[in-house]
Amino acid sequence: MKRSTIRTVEDILRDYPKIDKYIEQREQELRYPMKPVDDNVGGGRAQNGFNDSEDQLIITLDEDKRINALKKQRQVIDDCLDEVGEDTEIIIDELYFRKRPRYTIDGLVVNHLIGCSRATAFRLKKQFISSCAKQLGLYSMN
């Protein structure tokens, strides 16, 4: 797997704890868009018709690419976490989900926070990242 792919997945993993906040922010941007100030003062005609902004909002939220991408990332990581063992969960949580990680993989092994060897811990981490990359459609065979 390419190093750039690994880094992309690692960045997504680091953002995972904040994905719900990002989705909420994007939904707020769509609900309450910034409207430019109309400096055109004068004799324009008013638009006739009805305002279906609620219907438009629902369509916009469902079709927004950024929201859908964030939801897909969250779902992929959730699915990958469901498929792994406790040691892998501890490794991923400590390395990527914590705001300030306390341990490296070596620290997790030395302090017996995970029940595997150093080599196995690195293999578990690599397998998790590969699984996420495949499900996100980022994995290339180069």
Side-chain angles (χ1 to χ4, degrees):
M1 186 170 15
K2 289 183 179 179
R3 185 72 191 139
S4 61
T5 304
I6 294 169
R7 288 186 187 265
T8 299
V9 173
E10 288 178 334
D11 288 341
I12 291 169
L13 290 171
R14 286 186 190 97
D15 275 345
Y16 175 77
K18 300 175 233 156
I19 283 180
D20 289 332
K21 184 176 80 172
Y22 294 154
I23 291 171
E24 179 62 32
Q25 285 175 343
R26 182 62 182 151
E27 287 175 351
Q28 291 299 321
E29 288 172 9
L30 294 173
R31 280 191 183 99
Y32 309 107
M34 297 292 289
K35 294 181 182 176
V37 177
D38 185 7
D39 292 336
N40 185 10
V41 181
R45 284 193 258 165
Q47 290 181 342
N48 294 331
F50 61 94
N51 184 0
D52 60 342
S53 61
E54 277 297 312
D55 293 337
Q56 191 64 34
L57 175 64
I58 292 168
I59 292 169
T60 304
L61 289 177
D62 287 342
E63 294 176 352
D64 187 68
K65 290 179 181 177
R66 191 160 143 211
I67 289 176
N68 289 333
L70 289 168
K71 286 180 179 178
K72 180 181 179 182
Q73 289 173 4
R74 180 180 59 195
Q75 188 62 49
V76 164
I77 294 170
D78 287 343
D79 291 347
C80 289
L81 286 171
D82 288 343
E83 296 170 2
V84 297
E86 185 179 348
D87 286 345
T88 305
E89 283 185 34
I90 292 170
I91 292 166
I92 298 304
D93 181 58
E94 182 62 34
L95 297 179
Y96 300 110
F97 296 167
R98 287 188 180 276
K99 193 171 187 175
R100 293 181 186 87
R102 294 177 293 191
Y103 301 102
T104 61
I105 287 183
D106 290 327
L108 292 171
V109 172
V110 169
N111 291 303
H112 304 290
L113 297 171
I114 54 176
C116 61
S117 68
R118 181 179 187 272
T120 301
F122 277 102
R123 185 177 45 79
L124 292 173
K125 175 186 153 195
K126 183 178 177 181
Q127 287 174 341
F128 184 83
I129 290 173
S130 293
S131 177
C132 287
K134 286 176 188 173
Q135 290 189 39
L136 288 166
L138 302 174
Y139 189 73
S140 64
M141 300 301 259
N142 296 0

